[in-house]
Amino acid sequence: MTAEEPRPRRELVTGGPRAGRVPAPRGSAPAPPPAEPADPAVSALIRRQLRTSLTAAAALVLLIALLPLLFAVAPGLAGSSIAGVNTVWVVLGVLSYPVLWLIGRWYVARAEANESRPPDDGAAGTTG
Amino acid sequence: MSGSYALVAVAVVSAATVLIGALGLRVSRTTSDFYVASRMVNPRLNGAAISGEYLSAASFLGIAGLVLTQGREVLWYPVGYTAGYLVMLLFVAAPLRRSGAYTLPDFAEARLESRQVRRVASAFALGIGWLYLLPQLQGAGLTLQTVTGAPRWVGGVLVAVVVTANVMAGGMRSITFVQAFQYWLKLTALLVPLIFLLLAWHADGSPTGQVQHPVFQKTTVVQVDQAVRIRVPDPVQVTVDGTLDGQAYEQVPLALTAGVHTVAGHTDLTFPAHAQVPSRVDGAAGSPWGRPPSADHGSHPLYAVYGLILATFLGAMGLPHVVVRFYTSPNGRAARRTTLVVLGLLGVFYLMPPIYGALARVYAPDLALTGNTDAAVLVLPERLLGGTGGALLGALLAGGAFAAFLATSSGLAVSLAGVLHQDVLPSVGIKGFQRATVLAVAAPTVFTLVASDLPVADAVGLAFAVAASSFCPMLVLGIWWRRLTPPGAIAGAVTGGGAALVAAGLTMADWFPVGWPHALLAWPAVWSVPLGFLVMITVSLATPGSVPPRTDATLARLHLPEPTRPTRSPGGVRR
């Protein structure tokens, strides 16, 4: 790293078909926008999105990630069967996938709604 | 001979891959095409491509094999692989796309404005990628050997050559078509034989395997090719032709005591009907795809399952070939919707491998003994159906398995070449990218050839654990926490990822074969992920002066929806 400028600069992937390299000032991904003070509306949006993500994550934990614990404390449940097939097989092998997808679908709808909601100007707060 | 059909299937899949790749070449001209398909791929095509790339041989062959030997706990692997995508959707998908970066190192540098962070991220991306690529190549060798009898190295080299040629020819754009094709191919290759297998199974009186331990359905001759140590659960009367416990026998009936026995290579063991299938002593951890949670005696299965859950739920976002895919979405919203499509496609696919595993418990339990459990999916048609039909369906499965090897390896090759090209090799432009591709694939290929017998047990699981302990904290905190600093990110990634890596090394060296020390080291994610987060947060709080100056602007960019006009800057994506 001592020789002056030996390192090739990476290319702007959004750049147009300009053959060869595009000099990027920091040799980094697309140059970040200039420094500016935190916008309260942005902070509010980030908090809203984080709350949505955490809610969905909580659903994931409750509905899926706690299952091993449930099967461990209730061995009778793990040994039982649904329509002749062991419950664990049915739950993990079949039911878990639609549950994961539904959580995802709920999240996508909420996240998009959060984004299209106009910034509620009063609700600005300090950054966490 | 069934091998010739399989050979044709593998050849057809390889040829189709190259052909579709070559068609993609026509429209792939700029470096941007090579990298990210110029970000014009729509959610459905991109979703199929992501799924095609993500469903590696671990999913196509590995899960059924693990179910065969270990039963229901390994069902957490497919659930975890899918849930990993959900977690990615919740916390990183849209912001990562909006960051406008291409590789994980790009994101690290864009967010933290530090070249050092970039270097650390590059090292981890390369390490994780190669760790993931290695078992793909080894598995390809094993599969080709199983179905055609070709030497072990042929399959790996074949995959390496096809992938390199294809990536060099077309880069990401053609890879997108190839991988979308390979998702549907893999789905078909599992679905069609499964229908016939289930019909045959039904006609056979629907026998079910035992829930915990597989048993031989009928008198079975097990041909042991390579020496193996087995654990016999109950005393059993067998016929031995070969060498057992150091003693040579020739068609001798023998009462095997319960416990561990050593079977030499080229030995035939005949087991009576209803005898429990012995398990391999060292084979439990022998699958390159994953370690079963309750493999060892005196293990801690509940802890192990949570190790698996944490690694797969949180590790998927840190796999270099997975993340690259988000850049091919036109914007953040499309990235989210694409991920939702992926969740659906993965869920449909993962319904099938466990059924293959359950059928294999009934019809191919001897594979648990010989340890060639990856063959479970491949041999079932021949065992259940036989004849030309069985051979043809077996060939379809072999083709699907090769699609799995090719798709995942292609994705890894593209992303690793991206990292090498940008951060390691001193060349630019398409030539440089092509040279980087050769290096990205050649390194693990040479390693497989030289060290073909080295056990890469659980290499995929290890890649997930390291990714979950290093990139997961860096991404999640980078996207959601404005006080993350470069020293904090480096310290956390190195501590968390490093700890997972060391634990894996100690497990492979077998330092602590039993008890809690073993469980803690074999399933590091339970403690290494919190460790990574903790160190990252603590060090960041201790270095408040190092918060990057443009943090607020960067965060705004990650979370605000893109404006509707073409993204930005002259020469941007044209509509």
Side-chain angles (χ1 to χ4, degrees):
Chain A
M1 293 309 112
T2 43
E4 71 266 89
E5 296 301 298
R7 173 167 285 278
R9 294 311 188 195
R10 67 172 297 285
E11 320 199 15
L12 275 167
V13 289
T14 43
R18 201 192 306 173
R21 54 194 260 190
V22 181
R26 297 185 54 81
S28 109
E36 59 191 53
D39 180 349
V42 174
S43 305
L45 172 68
I46 294 177
R47 272 200 307 279
R48 230 169 26 230
Q49 293 287 39
L50 183 60
R51 215 174 305 130
T52 307
S53 298
L54 289 176
T55 309
L60 172 65
V61 171
L62 283 176
L63 296 174
I64 304 286
L66 284 182
L67 285 175
L69 212 57
L70 180 69
F71 291 139
V73 299
L77 182 68
S80 67
S81 50
I82 300 171
V85 185
N86 180 271
T87 306
V88 178
W89 281 83
V90 175
V91 170
L92 291 185
V94 180
L95 298 181
S96 56
Y97 301 108
V99 170
L100 291 172
W101 189 81
L102 286 172
I103 297 175
R105 206 185 80 131
W106 176 86
Y107 167 77
V108 169
R110 280 298 291 264
E112 289 188 0
N114 286 344
E115 279 167 2
S116 48
R117 202 195 314 174
D120 24 344
D121 22 5
T126 51
T127 26
Chain B
M1 180 63 223
S2 65
S4 48
Y5 289 123
L7 205 60
V8 171
V10 168
V12 167
V13 168
S14 304
T17 303
V18 172
L19 199 69
I20 298 175
L23 291 178
L25 180 61
R26 301 243 180 104
V27 288
S28 177
R29 273 191 224 98
T30 66
T31 321
S32 175
D33 278 334
F34 268 77
Y35 273 168
V36 293
S38 295
R39 294 192 172 147
M40 302 285 266
V41 185
N42 78 41
R44 277 176 51 203
L45 177 63
N46 205 20
I50 293 178
S51 312
E53 174 179 278
Y54 191 54
L55 293 170
S56 70
S59 302
F60 197 91
L61 302 175
I63 290 169
L66 284 167
V67 168
L68 160 66
T69 49
Q70 302 296 329
R72 62 197 191 192
E73 258 132 354
V74 298
L75 292 177
W76 279 106
Y77 274 107
V79 173
Y81 294 151
T82 313
Y85 257 95
L86 176 59
V87 175
M88 207 183 320
L89 168 65
L90 300 186
F91 292 101
V92 304
L96 196 59
R97 168 60 192 91
R98 287 173 182 150
S99 76
Y102 166 60
T103 61
L104 283 166
D106 277 352
F107 172 82
E109 184 178 4
R111 167 65 180 82
L112 291 160
E113 302 167 37
S114 150
R115 283 209 78 92
Q116 266 155 324
V117 176
R118 181 190 188 94
R119 258 174 242 132
V120 172
S122 298
F124 272 107
L126 281 178
I128 292 167
W130 272 329
L131 213 51
Y132 211 98
L133 197 47
L134 205 59
Q136 307 298 330
L137 298 174
Q138 285 203 340
L142 205 68
T143 302
L144 208 63
Q145 188 183 38
T146 302
V147 296
T148 68
R152 187 74 64 86
W153 58 269
V154 176
V157 170
L158 176 66
V159 168
V161 169
V162 172
V163 165
T164 310
N166 217 29
V167 175
M168 281 178 67
M172 188 66 118
R173 167 96 75 165
S174 63
I175 287 302
T176 302
F177 291 119
V178 169
Q179 284 169 340
F181 158 72
Q182 278 166 344
Y183 170 80
W184 295 108
L185 177 63
K186 276 181 270 193
L187 194 76
T188 313
L190 274 192
L191 185 62
V192 173
L194 187 60
I195 293 168
F196 286 99
L197 289 175
L198 286 176
L199 286 175
W201 170 76
H202 188 71
D204 197 26
S206 313
T208 52
Q210 303 305 304
V211 175
Q212 278 314 325
H213 296 286
V215 288
F216 292 109
Q217 294 294 306
K218 52 183 191 217
T219 307
T220 306
V221 182
V222 179
Q223 297 176 330
V224 179
D225 291 332
Q226 289 181 335
V228 62
R229 292 200 305 147
I230 58 172
R231 187 188 307 276
V232 178
D234 289 313
V236 60
Q237 190 72 31
V238 298
T239 306
V240 184
D241 189 12
T243 308
L244 181 83
D245 292 330
Q247 186 118 23
Y249 299 95
E250 207 170 311
Q251 288 292 356
V252 179
L254 191 73
L256 268 189
T257 54
V260 175
H261 297 275
T262 308
V263 186
H266 307 292
T267 300
D268 289 358
L269 294 175
T270 310
F271 286 87
H274 308 302
Q276 276 198 24
V277 179
S279 55
R280 266 168 75 103
V281 174
D282 1 73
S287 169
W289 315 118
R291 183 183 300 279
S294 52
D296 325 285
H297 291 256
S299 61
H300 299 272
L302 186 62
Y303 170 85
V305 166
Y306 275 105
L308 194 169
I309 286 178
L310 272 162
T312 50
F313 279 35
L314 303 177
M317 70 175 74
L319 300 177
H321 64 300
V322 165
V323 168
V324 161
R325 275 280 155 206
F326 285 105
Y327 307 108
T328 54
S329 294
N331 56 48
R333 279 186 186 200
R336 274 197 208 112
R337 293 180 175 190
T338 300
T339 315
L340 196 59
V341 172
V342 175
L343 271 179
L345 293 177
L346 292 182
V348 169
F349 181 89
Y350 280 134
L351 295 175
M352 294 186 289
I355 304 178
Y356 274 89
L359 286 174
R361 283 169 85 83
V362 179
Y363 293 103
D366 50 295
L367 295 178
L369 196 156
T370 55
N372 190 12
T373 56
D374 274 1
V377 167
L378 302 171
V379 303
L380 273 175
E382 210 185 314
R383 298 264 176 113
L384 247 90
L385 305 163
T388 310
L392 283 174
L393 292 174
L396 183 58
L397 284 163
F402 250 76
F405 291 123
L406 288 173
T408 303
S409 305
S410 302
L412 284 164
V414 170
S415 59
L416 289 179
V419 172
L420 282 171
H421 180 203
Q422 291 175 7
D423 295 327
V424 182
L425 295 181
S427 53
V428 291
I430 289 175
K431 272 263 148 44
F433 184 79
Q434 293 177 333
R435 223 166 289 151
T437 307
V438 174
L439 183 62
V441 180
T445 309
V446 169
F447 188 86
T448 358
L449 292 180
V450 174
S452 60
D453 290 331
L454 197 79
V456 287
D458 197 27
V460 166
L462 170 62
F464 269 94
V466 174
S469 315
S470 53
F471 281 124
C472 171
M474 194 187 277
L475 284 167
V476 170
L477 292 177
I479 289 168
W480 297 102
W481 194 49
R482 66 173 305 281
R483 288 199 260 179
L484 182 68
T485 66
I490 292 175
V494 170
T495 316
L501 212 57
V502 169
L506 291 178
T507 309
M508 282 186 186
D510 218 11
W511 271 30
F512 301 99
V514 289
W516 269 114
H518 172 77
L520 288 171
L521 293 175
W523 304 96
V526 175
W527 51 271
S528 63
V529 173
L531 181 70
F533 271 100
L534 196 72
V535 171
M536 212 171 273
I537 292 172
T538 315
V539 176
S540 291
L541 288 178
T543 54
S546 309
V547 171
R550 279 172 296 207
T551 296
D552 287 316
T554 308
L555 282 183
R557 174 186 181 146
L558 295 184
H559 291 281
L560 287 178
E562 293 88 345
T564 37
R565 60 185 168 76
T567 29
R568 35 159 230 113
S569 76
V573 176
R574 264 168 281 225
R575 292 253 47 193

